[in-house]
């Protein structure tokens, strides 16, 4: 069993920065890739960024390239998402996800484990 708990969301102004964290617990040995997804009200849950088990490979959705950085600290079983230059369109619930392979998929089906989400609201 794997549990993922996100934290770090909040209300910020456009242009600000925010760092999200995702703490993994339980049977963490089954975790390879990890990722962030986000879902705005009335929208589908979209891929944001993914990272391989070692942290050596990362992949970003086009809207966040150059602004967001995904990283992980396996000793702490923690995933991070550093979000800079936030835009109003970044407003969403952000979800942490983990999967059992290192293929950095962008589909929800690639990730077996999910957190409950943390709200990020960016005001103009």
């Amino acid at each position: 069993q794997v549990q993922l708990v996100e934290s770090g969301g909040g209300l910020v102004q456009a242009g600000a920065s925010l760092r999200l964290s995702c703490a993994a617990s339980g049977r963490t040995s089954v975790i390879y890739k990890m990722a962030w997804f986000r879902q705005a009200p009335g929208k589908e849950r979209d891929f944001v960024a993914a990272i391989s088990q070692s942290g050596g490979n990362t992949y970003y959705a086009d809207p966040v390239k150059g602004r967001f950085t995904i990283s992980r600290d396996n000793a702490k079983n923690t995933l991070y998402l550093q979000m800079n230059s936030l835009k109003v369109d970044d407003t969403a619930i952000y979800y942490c996800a983990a999967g059992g392979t290192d293929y950095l998929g962008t589909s929800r089906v690639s990730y077996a484990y999910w957190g409950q989400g943390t709200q990020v609201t960016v005001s103009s």
Side-chain angles (χ1 to χ4, degrees):
Q1 300 180 40
V2 173
Q3 296 81 44
L4 303 174
V5 180
E6 303 94 336
S7 62
L11 173 63
V12 298
Q13 293 185 339
S17 296
L18 203 59
R19 188 173 79 156
L20 306 183
S21 297
C22 170
S25 61
R27 198 159 64 96
T28 56
S29 61
V30 306
I31 295 175
Y32 283 78
K33 63 178 177 289
M34 297 188 78
W36 291 96
F37 287 73
R38 66 186 183 184
Q39 186 168 20
K43 305 290 186 180
E44 293 290 318
R45 189 173 299 187
D46 292 330
F47 172 80
V48 176
I51 187 168
S52 61
Q53 186 183 48
S54 69
N57 291 317
T58 58
Y59 183 73
Y60 297 90
D62 187 68
V64 308
K65 287 180 180 177
R67 299 189 298 119
F68 291 10
T69 302
I70 188 170
S71 62
R72 65 195 293 171
D73 185 339
N74 291 337
K76 297 180 179 179
N77 290 319
T78 302
L79 174 74
Y80 302 98
L81 184 67
Q82 178 65 46
M83 304 183 293
N84 297 328
S85 301
L86 282 163
K87 304 175 180 179
V88 172
D89 286 348
D90 295 320
T91 296
I93 300 174
Y94 283 71
Y95 296 90
C96 173
T101 75
D102 255 357
Y103 172 69
L104 304 186
T106 61
S107 173
R108 292 175 64 185
V109 73
S110 296
Y111 301 89
Y113 311 105
W114 293 84
Q116 295 299 307
T118 185
Q119 177 70 234
V120 172
T121 302
V122 184
S123 63
S124 61

